[in-house]
Amino acid sequence: MAGDEGAEIYEEREESMDAAVDKETEIKTEGKEDENVLQFLDSLDGYLTLMDSVNSKLREGWFDLASARHSMGTLRINSTLLDLKYHPAASTFQVTDQEVGSLGSVPRFALSKWVSKGGGSPKGKDFSTDTDSEIGSPLSQQLRHRGVSEEKPSAKDENTLAADEEIKKERAKSLSVFGGLVSPKLRGAQLSFETALETLVEIANMRASMLSAFERITEK
Amino acid sequence: MYGFEALTFNIHGGYLEAIVRGHRAGLLTTADYNNLCQCENLDDIKMHLSATKYGSYLQNEPSPLHTTTIVEKCTLKLVDDYKHMLCQATEPMSTFLEYIRYGHMIDNVVLIVTGTLHERDVQELLEKCHPLGMFDSIATLAVAQNMRELYRLVLVDTPLAPYFSECLTSEDLDDMNIEIMRNTLYKAYLEDFYKFCQKLGGATSEIMSDLLAFEADRRAVNITINSIGTELTREDRKKLYSNFGLLYPYGHEELAICEDIDQVRGVMEKYPPYQAIFSKMSYGESQMLDKAFYEEEVRRLCLAFEQQFHYAVFFAYMRLREQEIRNLMWISECVAQNQKSRIHDSVVYMF
């Protein structure tokens, strides 16, 4: 009799524990789904903001280019002056697959700006721009110097200055197709298009994350 | 002191002065520009221009139009006017009119040489050349490797030959050397034109001296601003300034050492005619400088028509037409890019 009561109590406890575990799992699953939805919405918001930003930058760039043509003349800025000789690309673009815990394999896009890979010793540094890999977290754009990790602050500042000088030279070299002395408006246009290019890479990364998050939401 | 131009000018120059004053009356007015600024697309601009002197040049252009097409066709009107005047002119007016072309010839030479350096097709480059700057052997420029060859093979038989004496080197042509060549040639051309006008004397000399001096000063400022932050040294920069003008020689000494726009402003504000120009801009800003200079130039060009019996009206008319074409280009770009709120940033009204 006492044993039967004990067994019943044990069974009731088991059932209540199972119910509690089930409820906890259900809460966790709902929470996970909510997290995925939030990540997707964050990515979407970031994507739309970046699209707006790139449209604005491109408009500014085209307008500055028109201003430069107005200032310097149509003979000095036109497509027939662009260089058809073989020359190394000023910027390169890499695509890799990155494993992101909750989202699986996500394509990752990276831009290396102002890298001159002409024959002989490599000239300049590899300035990669990369966005924060945490999905949904605020985007942060960093200029990284590969292989330069542990340095004293003063040496780092010198390196940064040298890198900035190198970038200035590469920018001037790109613009030299239009002549040695160009209007500040043309330089402004170059900066606008450069920023737009970086933003496009961020958009590509954001879109990849957004699509992955969407797949996670829809798969059930 | 003027001679007795009123007695003799009309014998050879009266007809052409009347012609150029008629052309001047055909320049677009503020009302025309207001209509153009309200256009929604380039076809609207073409429709508004059909009622002007440009109508016959644009009427056969198919849609969709491009801004470069509008500029090219409007330039043809300028070229036709010029050629009509040139073929009717006698000496020394014909030489004076020829001088107006030399600036465009220099631009064309630099375009061909730069394009060839970048391995572009010569035909493609010739299509882009300014019609006023064309000459017979221009296509042969593509074979030259350095300035000495450029001179020896092609330019020795052109009116630009005397301007090459300071440019002759055997250095291979690269982007910076070409830029220095452009500015050195233009400097020599301006100085030669200035001396020619001084020889003519009278109202031509007085008015043209003022206009060319302004041109020389403006070029000095533009060279200074465009060379800030480049590899052009102070000595090389100073060599590109013309040897006349209000800024010569002390202003040039100061401009040569300027490292930013505020220093340029500091130099220019010492000269009353340019103080007014720079007072329109805030510190550190250079965006409106071009418009300010164009406005001053247009004011001086319009004043040239207030006197008679001189050749400066021809120069003034050509420059005003070029400014008008620049205005049309700007308006077209703003309309095409849907930036109509920015149209008034660079349009210079004449009347």
Side-chain angles (χ1 to χ4, degrees), chain A residues 59 62-63 67 71 75-76 79-82 84-85 176-177 179-180 182-185 187, chain B residues 117-120 128 175 179 182 226-227 230 287 290 294 326 329-330 333 337-339 342:
Chain A
R59 246 169 96 79
W62 284 118
F63 189 78
S67 297
S71 171
L75 277 187
R76 290 202 58 189
S79 55
T80 52
L81 289 172
L82 297 175
L84 287 184
K85 277 191 302 199
S176 64
V177 291
V182 296
S183 164
K185 291 172 187 171
R187 295 196 189 115
Chain B
L117 187 72
H118 297 159
E119 293 184 6
R120 306 296 304 215
K128 284 288 179 185
D175 290 317
E179 188 68 37
R182 181 211 308 273
N226 292 348
S227 61
T230 67
Q287 301 290 328
D290 284 328
Y294 284 137
R326 244 191 317 270
M329 188 206 81
W330 179 253
E333 285 284 354
Q337 294 186 27
N338 203 18
Q339 296 258 30
R342 306 287 298 269

mmCIF file of all heavy atoms in Angstrom, chain A residues 59 62-63 67 71 75-76 79-82 84-85 176-177 179-180 182-185 187, chain B residues 117-120 128 175 179 182 226-227 230 287 290 294 326 329-330 333 337-339 342:
data_model
loop_
_atom_site.group_PDB
_atom_site.id
_atom_site.type_symbol
_atom_site.label_atom_id
_atom_site.label_comp_id
_atom_site.label_asym_id
_atom_site.label_seq_id
_atom_site.Cartn_x
_atom_site.Cartn_y
_atom_site.Cartn_z
ATOM 1 N N ARG A 59 25.404 59.617 -55.360
ATOM 2 C CA ARG A 59 24.869 60.894 -55.876
ATOM 3 C C ARG A 59 25.887 62.009 -55.694
ATOM 4 O O ARG A 59 26.132 62.803 -56.591
ATOM 5 C CB ARG A 59 23.595 61.257 -55.095
ATOM 6 C CG ARG A 59 22.334 61.260 -55.886
ATOM 7 C CD ARG A 59 21.174 61.358 -54.940
ATOM 8 N NE ARG A 59 20.695 62.706 -54.765
ATOM 9 C CZ ARG A 59 19.904 63.335 -55.637
ATOM 10 N NH1 ARG A 59 19.530 62.755 -56.728
ATOM 11 N NH2 ARG A 59 19.495 64.565 -55.395
ATOM 12 N N TRP A 62 28.836 61.511 -58.215
ATOM 13 C CA TRP A 62 28.511 61.912 -59.589
ATOM 14 C C TRP A 62 28.397 63.431 -59.692
ATOM 15 O O TRP A 62 28.809 64.034 -60.691
ATOM 16 C CB TRP A 62 27.207 61.262 -60.060
ATOM 17 C CG TRP A 62 27.361 59.819 -60.407
ATOM 18 C CD1 TRP A 62 26.747 58.759 -59.805
ATOM 19 C CD2 TRP A 62 28.189 59.250 -61.437
ATOM 20 N NE1 TRP A 62 27.138 57.586 -60.383
ATOM 21 C CE2 TRP A 62 28.024 57.847 -61.392
ATOM 22 C CE3 TRP A 62 29.058 59.791 -62.387
ATOM 23 C CZ2 TRP A 62 28.693 56.981 -62.249
ATOM 24 C CZ3 TRP A 62 29.717 58.927 -63.245
ATOM 25 C CH2 TRP A 62 29.529 57.543 -63.174
ATOM 26 N N PHE A 63 27.853 64.056 -58.676
ATOM 27 C CA PHE A 63 27.715 65.509 -58.700
ATOM 28 C C PHE A 63 29.084 66.181 -58.648
ATOM 29 O O PHE A 63 29.352 67.151 -59.367
ATOM 30 C CB PHE A 63 26.846 65.981 -57.522
ATOM 31 C CG PHE A 63 26.490 67.433 -57.598
ATOM 32 C CD1 PHE A 63 25.489 67.868 -58.441
ATOM 33 C CD2 PHE A 63 27.166 68.368 -56.840
ATOM 34 C CE1 PHE A 63 25.164 69.212 -58.530
ATOM 35 C CE2 PHE A 63 26.844 69.715 -56.919
ATOM 36 C CZ PHE A 63 25.850 70.133 -57.773
ATOM 37 N N SER A 67 30.887 68.633 -61.287
ATOM 38 C CA SER A 67 31.494 69.915 -60.887
ATOM 39 C C SER A 67 32.930 70.001 -61.397
ATOM 40 O O SER A 67 33.377 71.055 -61.859
ATOM 41 C CB SER A 67 31.531 70.035 -59.361
ATOM 42 O OG SER A 67 30.254 70.044 -58.817
ATOM 43 N N SER A 71 34.568 72.668 -63.939
ATOM 44 C CA SER A 71 35.709 73.490 -63.548
ATOM 45 C C SER A 71 36.894 73.303 -64.494
ATOM 46 O O SER A 71 37.517 74.267 -64.935
ATOM 47 C CB SER A 71 36.110 73.107 -62.118
ATOM 48 O OG SER A 71 37.307 73.690 -61.756
ATOM 49 N N LEU A 75 37.298 68.568 -72.041
ATOM 50 C CA LEU A 75 38.439 67.916 -72.684
ATOM 51 C C LEU A 75 39.362 67.251 -71.662
ATOM 52 O O LEU A 75 40.065 66.302 -71.985
ATOM 53 C CB LEU A 75 39.261 68.944 -73.471
ATOM 54 C CG LEU A 75 38.786 69.284 -74.876
ATOM 55 C CD1 LEU A 75 39.795 70.174 -75.553
ATOM 56 C CD2 LEU A 75 38.575 68.036 -75.699
ATOM 57 N N ARG A 76 39.347 67.743 -70.455
ATOM 58 C CA ARG A 76 40.269 67.220 -69.446
ATOM 59 C C ARG A 76 39.679 66.074 -68.649
ATOM 60 O O ARG A 76 40.417 65.314 -68.039
ATOM 61 C CB ARG A 76 40.683 68.352 -68.505
ATOM 62 C CG ARG A 76 41.582 69.369 -69.203
ATOM 63 C CD ARG A 76 42.402 70.140 -68.253
ATOM 64 N NE ARG A 76 43.239 69.249 -67.452
ATOM 65 C CZ ARG A 76 43.947 69.654 -66.415
ATOM 66 N NH1 ARG A 76 43.923 70.896 -66.049
ATOM 67 N NH2 ARG A 76 44.672 68.809 -65.721
ATOM 68 N N SER A 79 35.979 60.021 -70.837
ATOM 69 C CA SER A 79 36.318 58.594 -70.775
ATOM 70 C C SER A 79 37.476 58.229 -71.700
ATOM 71 O O SER A 79 38.109 57.193 -71.504
ATOM 72 C CB SER A 79 35.092 57.755 -71.126
ATOM 73 O OG SER A 79 34.585 58.156 -72.378
ATOM 74 N N THR A 80 37.792 59.050 -72.690
ATOM 75 C CA THR A 80 38.878 58.692 -73.609
ATOM 76 C C THR A 80 40.254 58.825 -72.954
ATOM 77 O O THR A 80 41.241 58.394 -73.519
ATOM 78 C CB THR A 80 38.878 59.575 -74.870
ATOM 79 O OG1 THR A 80 38.857 60.946 -74.468
ATOM 80 C CG2 THR A 80 37.694 59.288 -75.751
ATOM 81 N N LEU A 81 40.307 59.416 -71.767
ATOM 82 C CA LEU A 81 41.598 59.562 -71.104
ATOM 83 C C LEU A 81 41.912 58.385 -70.181
ATOM 84 O O LEU A 81 43.019 58.288 -69.651
ATOM 85 C CB LEU A 81 41.616 60.860 -70.278
ATOM 86 C CG LEU A 81 41.659 62.145 -71.098
ATOM 87 C CD1 LEU A 81 41.479 63.353 -70.204
ATOM 88 C CD2 LEU A 81 42.962 62.272 -71.860
ATOM 89 N N LEU A 82 40.936 57.513 -69.970
ATOM 90 C CA LEU A 82 41.174 56.381 -69.057
ATOM 91 C C LEU A 82 42.250 55.464 -69.633
ATOM 92 O O LEU A 82 42.331 55.264 -70.844
ATOM 93 C CB LEU A 82 39.872 55.619 -68.819
ATOM 94 C CG LEU A 82 38.787 56.452 -68.126
ATOM 95 C CD1 LEU A 82 37.486 55.661 -68.035
ATOM 96 C CD2 LEU A 82 39.215 56.878 -66.738
ATOM 97 N N LEU A 84 44.270 52.407 -70.827
ATOM 98 C CA LEU A 84 44.005 51.052 -71.299
ATOM 99 C C LEU A 84 45.239 50.160 -71.183
ATOM 100 O O LEU A 84 45.175 48.977 -71.500
ATOM 101 C CB LEU A 84 43.557 51.077 -72.772
ATOM 102 C CG LEU A 84 42.144 51.601 -73.042
ATOM 103 C CD1 LEU A 84 41.812 51.468 -74.514
ATOM 104 C CD2 LEU A 84 41.111 50.860 -72.221
ATOM 105 N N LYS A 85 46.356 50.730 -70.709
ATOM 106 C CA LYS A 85 47.553 49.900 -70.545
ATOM 107 C C LYS A 85 47.321 48.928 -69.409
ATOM 108 O O LYS A 85 46.587 49.217 -68.466
ATOM 109 C CB LYS A 85 48.758 50.785 -70.162
ATOM 110 C CG LYS A 85 49.430 51.441 -71.330
ATOM 111 C CD LYS A 85 50.746 52.069 -70.938
ATOM 112 C CE LYS A 85 50.562 53.082 -69.847
ATOM 113 N NZ LYS A 85 51.685 54.015 -69.756
ATOM 114 N N SER A 176 45.885 60.592 -61.803
ATOM 115 C CA SER A 176 46.835 61.205 -62.741
ATOM 116 C C SER A 176 46.449 60.962 -64.201
ATOM 117 O O SER A 176 46.991 61.606 -65.092
ATOM 118 C CB SER A 176 48.253 60.687 -62.474
ATOM 119 O OG SER A 176 48.310 59.306 -62.724
ATOM 120 N N VAL A 177 45.503 60.052 -64.457
ATOM 121 C CA VAL A 177 45.051 59.862 -65.845
ATOM 122 C C VAL A 177 44.411 61.147 -66.381
ATOM 123 O O VAL A 177 44.383 61.386 -67.592
ATOM 124 C CB VAL A 177 44.045 58.700 -65.987
ATOM 125 C CG1 VAL A 177 44.711 57.377 -65.756
ATOM 126 C CG2 VAL A 177 42.842 58.874 -65.102
ATOM 127 N N GLY A 179 45.504 64.109 -65.547
ATOM 128 C CA GLY A 179 46.498 65.187 -65.491
ATOM 129 C C GLY A 179 47.147 65.251 -64.129
ATOM 130 O O GLY A 179 46.642 64.715 -63.145
ATOM 131 N N GLY A 180 48.289 65.954 -64.082
ATOM 132 C CA GLY A 180 49.025 66.056 -62.831
ATOM 133 C C GLY A 180 48.374 67.011 -61.837
ATOM 134 O O GLY A 180 48.488 66.844 -60.631
ATOM 135 N N VAL A 182 44.864 68.407 -60.736
ATOM 136 C CA VAL A 182 43.409 68.265 -60.891
ATOM 137 C C VAL A 182 42.697 69.088 -59.835
ATOM 138 O O VAL A 182 43.260 69.428 -58.794
ATOM 139 C CB VAL A 182 42.963 66.786 -60.806
ATOM 140 C CG1 VAL A 182 43.553 65.991 -61.950
ATOM 141 C CG2 VAL A 182 43.327 66.175 -59.483
ATOM 142 N N SER A 183 41.440 69.351 -60.108
ATOM 143 C CA SER A 183 40.650 70.187 -59.210
ATOM 144 C C SER A 183 40.356 69.442 -57.905
ATOM 145 O O SER A 183 40.216 68.206 -57.912
ATOM 146 C CB SER A 183 39.341 70.535 -59.927
ATOM 147 O OG SER A 183 38.388 71.019 -59.041
ATOM 148 N N PRO A 184 40.242 70.149 -56.774
ATOM 149 C CA PRO A 184 39.848 69.496 -55.522
ATOM 150 C C PRO A 184 38.495 68.791 -55.635
ATOM 151 O O PRO A 184 38.220 67.841 -54.911
ATOM 152 C CB PRO A 184 39.758 70.655 -54.521
ATOM 153 C CG PRO A 184 40.619 71.713 -55.082
ATOM 154 C CD PRO A 184 40.567 71.569 -56.571
ATOM 155 N N LYS A 185 37.666 69.247 -56.567
ATOM 156 C CA LYS A 185 36.351 68.604 -56.729
ATOM 157 C C LYS A 185 36.511 67.184 -57.261
ATOM 158 O O LYS A 185 35.757 66.276 -56.883
ATOM 159 C CB LYS A 185 35.483 69.419 -57.691
ATOM 160 C CG LYS A 185 35.077 70.755 -57.100
ATOM 161 C CD LYS A 185 34.397 71.642 -58.096
ATOM 162 C CE LYS A 185 34.186 73.016 -57.499
ATOM 163 N NZ LYS A 185 33.720 74.012 -58.414
ATOM 164 N N ARG A 187 39.048 65.270 -56.644
ATOM 165 C CA ARG A 187 39.532 64.469 -55.502
ATOM 166 C C ARG A 187 38.361 64.131 -54.581
ATOM 167 O O ARG A 187 38.284 63.026 -54.038
ATOM 168 C CB ARG A 187 40.594 65.239 -54.735
ATOM 169 C CG ARG A 187 41.836 65.487 -55.556
ATOM 170 C CD ARG A 187 43.033 65.900 -54.729
ATOM 171 N NE ARG A 187 44.094 66.310 -55.633
ATOM 172 C CZ ARG A 187 44.583 67.536 -55.731
ATOM 173 N NH1 ARG A 187 44.144 68.473 -54.956
ATOM 174 N NH2 ARG A 187 45.513 67.823 -56.605
ATOM 175 N N LEU B 117 49.478 58.057 -74.680
ATOM 176 C CA LEU B 117 50.226 57.482 -73.551
ATOM 177 C C LEU B 117 49.406 56.386 -72.875
ATOM 178 O O LEU B 117 49.941 55.400 -72.370
ATOM 179 C CB LEU B 117 50.536 58.595 -72.543
ATOM 180 C CG LEU B 117 51.435 58.263 -71.370
ATOM 181 C CD1 LEU B 117 52.863 58.091 -71.841
ATOM 182 C CD2 LEU B 117 51.393 59.380 -70.332
ATOM 183 N N HIS B 118 48.087 56.558 -72.873
ATOM 184 C CA HIS B 118 47.204 55.572 -72.251
ATOM 185 C C HIS B 118 46.706 54.531 -73.250
ATOM 186 O O HIS B 118 45.739 53.824 -72.988
ATOM 187 C CB HIS B 118 46.001 56.281 -71.608
ATOM 188 C CG HIS B 118 46.381 57.212 -70.506
ATOM 189 N ND1 HIS B 118 45.571 58.244 -70.075
ATOM 190 C CD2 HIS B 118 47.493 57.296 -69.745
ATOM 191 C CE1 HIS B 118 46.177 58.904 -69.104
ATOM 192 N NE2 HIS B 118 47.332 58.355 -68.891
ATOM 193 N N GLU B 119 47.368 54.474 -74.396
ATOM 194 C CA GLU B 119 47.063 53.470 -75.433
ATOM 195 C C GLU B 119 45.621 53.533 -75.925
ATOM 196 O O GLU B 119 44.979 52.508 -76.133
ATOM 197 C CB GLU B 119 47.384 52.058 -74.915
ATOM 198 C CG GLU B 119 48.892 51.872 -74.706
ATOM 199 C CD GLU B 119 49.277 50.474 -74.299
ATOM 200 O OE1 GLU B 119 48.416 49.579 -74.280
ATOM 201 O OE2 GLU B 119 50.459 50.276 -73.982
ATOM 202 N N ARG B 120 45.132 54.746 -76.116
ATOM 203 C CA ARG B 120 43.788 54.901 -76.688
ATOM 204 C C ARG B 120 43.902 55.012 -78.202
ATOM 205 O O ARG B 120 44.939 55.423 -78.739
ATOM 206 C CB ARG B 120 43.116 56.175 -76.141
ATOM 207 C CG ARG B 120 43.061 56.285 -74.645
ATOM 208 C CD ARG B 120 42.228 55.243 -73.980
ATOM 209 N NE ARG B 120 40.867 55.170 -74.448
ATOM 210 C CZ ARG B 120 39.826 54.883 -73.666
ATOM 211 N NH1 ARG B 120 40.004 54.672 -72.397
ATOM 212 N NH2 ARG B 120 38.621 54.804 -74.156
ATOM 213 N N LYS B 128 37.104 63.598 -79.904
ATOM 214 C CA LYS B 128 36.883 64.371 -78.678
ATOM 215 C C LYS B 128 37.536 65.743 -78.725
ATOM 216 O O LYS B 128 37.291 66.565 -77.864
ATOM 217 C CB LYS B 128 37.470 63.603 -77.474
ATOM 218 C CG LYS B 128 36.630 62.449 -77.033
ATOM 219 C CD LYS B 128 35.380 62.918 -76.344
ATOM 220 C CE LYS B 128 34.516 61.743 -75.931
ATOM 221 N NZ LYS B 128 33.245 62.153 -75.375
ATOM 222 N N ASP B 175 52.514 61.559 -67.095
ATOM 223 C CA ASP B 175 51.381 62.419 -66.751
ATOM 224 C C ASP B 175 51.824 63.776 -66.192
ATOM 225 O O ASP B 175 51.263 64.813 -66.542
ATOM 226 C CB ASP B 175 50.458 61.701 -65.753
ATOM 227 C CG ASP B 175 49.728 60.535 -66.408
ATOM 228 O OD1 ASP B 175 49.257 60.701 -67.542
ATOM 229 O OD2 ASP B 175 49.639 59.448 -65.796
ATOM 230 N N GLU B 179 51.488 67.551 -67.937
ATOM 231 C CA GLU B 179 50.809 68.657 -67.245
ATOM 232 C C GLU B 179 51.684 69.905 -67.251
ATOM 233 O O GLU B 179 51.204 71.016 -67.499
ATOM 234 C CB GLU B 179 50.483 68.237 -65.809
ATOM 235 C CG GLU B 179 49.618 69.227 -65.065
ATOM 236 C CD GLU B 179 48.202 69.313 -65.598
ATOM 237 O OE1 GLU B 179 47.650 68.268 -66.000
ATOM 238 O OE2 GLU B 179 47.651 70.418 -65.641
ATOM 239 N N ARG B 182 51.646 71.368 -70.703
ATOM 240 C CA ARG B 182 50.394 72.092 -70.957
ATOM 241 C C ARG B 182 50.476 73.498 -70.401
ATOM 242 O O ARG B 182 50.185 74.480 -71.073
ATOM 243 C CB ARG B 182 49.214 71.355 -70.312
ATOM 244 C CG ARG B 182 47.856 72.026 -70.531
ATOM 245 C CD ARG B 182 46.879 71.798 -69.362
ATOM 246 N NE ARG B 182 46.738 70.412 -69.021
ATOM 247 C CZ ARG B 182 45.859 69.583 -69.604
ATOM 248 N NH1 ARG B 182 45.049 70.037 -70.515
ATOM 249 N NH2 ARG B 182 45.777 68.326 -69.241
ATOM 250 N N ASN B 226 45.332 73.636 -57.306
ATOM 251 C CA ASN B 226 45.373 72.253 -57.804
ATOM 252 C C ASN B 226 46.676 71.550 -57.475
ATOM 253 O O ASN B 226 46.745 70.322 -57.466
ATOM 254 C CB ASN B 226 45.149 72.225 -59.320
ATOM 255 C CG ASN B 226 43.749 72.640 -59.708
ATOM 256 O OD1 ASN B 226 42.867 72.737 -58.856
ATOM 257 N ND2 ASN B 226 43.532 72.907 -60.982
ATOM 258 N N SER B 227 47.738 72.320 -57.197
ATOM 259 C CA SER B 227 49.021 71.681 -56.922
ATOM 260 C C SER B 227 49.264 71.482 -55.426
ATOM 261 O O SER B 227 50.281 70.888 -55.060
ATOM 262 C CB SER B 227 50.171 72.489 -57.525
ATOM 263 O OG SER B 227 50.204 73.771 -56.955
ATOM 264 N N THR B 230 50.460 67.967 -54.005
ATOM 265 C CA THR B 230 51.017 67.124 -55.091
ATOM 266 C C THR B 230 52.544 67.174 -55.027
ATOM 267 O O THR B 230 53.131 67.867 -54.218
ATOM 268 C CB THR B 230 50.552 67.613 -56.470
ATOM 269 O OG1 THR B 230 51.136 68.902 -56.722
ATOM 270 C CG2 THR B 230 49.043 67.740 -56.541
ATOM 271 N N GLN B 287 34.800 75.675 -52.984
ATOM 272 C CA GLN B 287 33.805 75.201 -53.944
ATOM 273 C C GLN B 287 33.280 76.313 -54.829
ATOM 274 O O GLN B 287 33.047 76.125 -56.009
ATOM 275 C CB GLN B 287 32.609 74.570 -53.194
ATOM 276 C CG GLN B 287 32.960 73.407 -52.310
ATOM 277 C CD GLN B 287 33.359 72.188 -53.100
ATOM 278 O OE1 GLN B 287 32.879 71.935 -54.192
ATOM 279 N NE2 GLN B 287 34.294 71.421 -52.579
ATOM 280 N N ASP B 290 35.389 78.907 -58.295
ATOM 281 C CA ASP B 290 35.259 78.896 -59.751
ATOM 282 C C ASP B 290 34.149 79.829 -60.195
ATOM 283 O O ASP B 290 34.315 80.630 -61.124
ATOM 284 C CB ASP B 290 34.950 77.474 -60.252
ATOM 285 C CG ASP B 290 36.182 76.603 -60.226
ATOM 286 O OD1 ASP B 290 37.288 77.143 -60.432
ATOM 287 O OD2 ASP B 290 36.046 75.389 -59.994
ATOM 288 N N TYR B 294 34.376 83.112 -62.557
ATOM 289 C CA TYR B 294 33.621 83.197 -63.807
ATOM 290 C C TYR B 294 32.740 84.441 -63.832
ATOM 291 O O TYR B 294 32.606 85.115 -64.849
ATOM 292 C CB TYR B 294 32.748 81.951 -63.999
ATOM 293 C CG TYR B 294 33.492 80.709 -64.430
ATOM 294 C CD1 TYR B 294 33.206 79.476 -63.852
ATOM 295 C CD2 TYR B 294 34.481 80.756 -65.405
ATOM 296 C CE1 TYR B 294 33.887 78.333 -64.240
ATOM 297 C CE2 TYR B 294 35.161 79.617 -65.795
ATOM 298 C CZ TYR B 294 34.856 78.411 -65.205
ATOM 299 O OH TYR B 294 35.532 77.278 -65.586
ATOM 300 N N ARG B 326 29.141 76.346 -71.034
ATOM 301 C CA ARG B 326 29.425 75.776 -69.703
ATOM 302 C C ARG B 326 28.169 75.779 -68.849
ATOM 303 O O ARG B 326 27.876 74.827 -68.144
ATOM 304 C CB ARG B 326 30.517 76.597 -69.006
ATOM 305 C CG ARG B 326 31.797 75.823 -68.743
ATOM 306 C CD ARG B 326 32.751 76.530 -67.843
ATOM 307 N NE ARG B 326 32.928 77.928 -68.080
ATOM 308 C CZ ARG B 326 33.830 78.465 -68.897
ATOM 309 N NH1 ARG B 326 34.630 77.688 -69.586
ATOM 310 N NH2 ARG B 326 33.926 79.767 -69.024
ATOM 311 N N MET B 329 25.902 73.054 -70.043
ATOM 312 C CA MET B 329 26.412 71.755 -69.598
ATOM 313 C C MET B 329 26.030 71.521 -68.138
ATOM 314 O O MET B 329 25.582 70.437 -67.757
ATOM 315 C CB MET B 329 27.935 71.707 -69.746
ATOM 316 C CG MET B 329 28.519 70.332 -69.495
ATOM 317 S SD MET B 329 30.224 70.369 -68.937
ATOM 318 C CE MET B 329 30.035 70.718 -67.221
ATOM 319 N N TRP B 330 26.202 72.551 -67.325
ATOM 320 C CA TRP B 330 25.920 72.417 -65.897
ATOM 321 C C TRP B 330 24.430 72.169 -65.653
ATOM 322 O O TRP B 330 24.055 71.287 -64.879
ATOM 323 C CB TRP B 330 26.388 73.680 -65.163
ATOM 324 C CG TRP B 330 26.113 73.634 -63.703
ATOM 325 C CD1 TRP B 330 25.176 74.328 -63.012
ATOM 326 C CD2 TRP B 330 26.765 72.803 -62.740
ATOM 327 N NE1 TRP B 330 25.199 73.993 -61.693
ATOM 328 C CE2 TRP B 330 26.171 73.061 -61.495
ATOM 329 C CE3 TRP B 330 27.795 71.874 -62.807
ATOM 330 C CZ2 TRP B 330 26.573 72.416 -60.333
ATOM 331 C CZ3 TRP B 330 28.195 71.236 -61.653
ATOM 332 C CH2 TRP B 330 27.591 71.514 -60.439
ATOM 333 N N GLU B 333 23.565 68.648 -66.654
ATOM 334 C CA GLU B 333 24.030 67.649 -65.677
ATOM 335 C C GLU B 333 23.126 67.633 -64.448
ATOM 336 O O GLU B 333 22.772 66.577 -63.929
ATOM 337 C CB GLU B 333 25.476 67.954 -65.245
ATOM 338 C CG GLU B 333 26.531 67.603 -66.274
ATOM 339 C CD GLU B 333 26.815 66.113 -66.347
ATOM 340 O OE1 GLU B 333 26.287 65.331 -65.530
ATOM 341 O OE2 GLU B 333 27.568 65.714 -67.248
ATOM 342 N N GLN B 337 20.893 64.444 -63.356
ATOM 343 C CA GLN B 337 21.166 63.779 -62.080
ATOM 344 C C GLN B 337 20.110 64.086 -61.031
ATOM 345 O O GLN B 337 20.262 63.726 -59.872
ATOM 346 C CB GLN B 337 22.528 64.226 -61.537
ATOM 347 C CG GLN B 337 23.694 63.776 -62.390
ATOM 348 C CD GLN B 337 25.021 64.109 -61.753
ATOM 349 O OE1 GLN B 337 25.128 64.216 -60.533
ATOM 350 N NE2 GLN B 337 26.048 64.270 -62.557
ATOM 351 N N ASN B 338 19.064 64.771 -61.440
ATOM 352 C CA ASN B 338 17.987 65.116 -60.507
ATOM 353 C C ASN B 338 18.515 65.919 -59.313
ATOM 354 O O ASN B 338 18.194 65.622 -58.157
ATOM 355 C CB ASN B 338 17.292 63.830 -60.025
ATOM 356 C CG ASN B 338 15.890 64.114 -59.540
ATOM 357 O OD1 ASN B 338 15.316 65.158 -59.856
ATOM 358 N ND2 ASN B 338 15.352 63.217 -58.755
ATOM 359 N N GLN B 339 19.357 66.904 -59.636
ATOM 360 C CA GLN B 339 19.927 67.761 -58.583
ATOM 361 C C GLN B 339 19.586 69.217 -58.889
ATOM 362 O O GLN B 339 20.436 70.109 -58.832
ATOM 363 C CB GLN B 339 21.457 67.599 -58.550
ATOM 364 C CG GLN B 339 21.930 66.216 -58.177
ATOM 365 C CD GLN B 339 22.398 66.148 -56.741
ATOM 366 O OE1 GLN B 339 21.924 66.878 -55.873
ATOM 367 N NE2 GLN B 339 23.347 65.276 -56.471
ATOM 368 N N ARG B 342 20.706 72.301 -56.948
ATOM 369 C CA ARG B 342 22.107 72.733 -56.979
ATOM 370 C C ARG B 342 22.449 73.490 -58.259
ATOM 371 O O ARG B 342 23.598 73.835 -58.493
ATOM 372 C CB ARG B 342 23.047 71.526 -56.860
ATOM 373 C CG ARG B 342 22.819 70.615 -55.676
ATOM 374 C CD ARG B 342 23.268 71.211 -54.373
ATOM 375 N NE ARG B 342 24.692 71.484 -54.356
ATOM 376 C CZ ARG B 342 25.615 70.629 -53.933
ATOM 377 N NH1 ARG B 342 25.267 69.422 -53.520
ATOM 378 N NH2 ARG B 342 26.894 70.969 -53.913
#
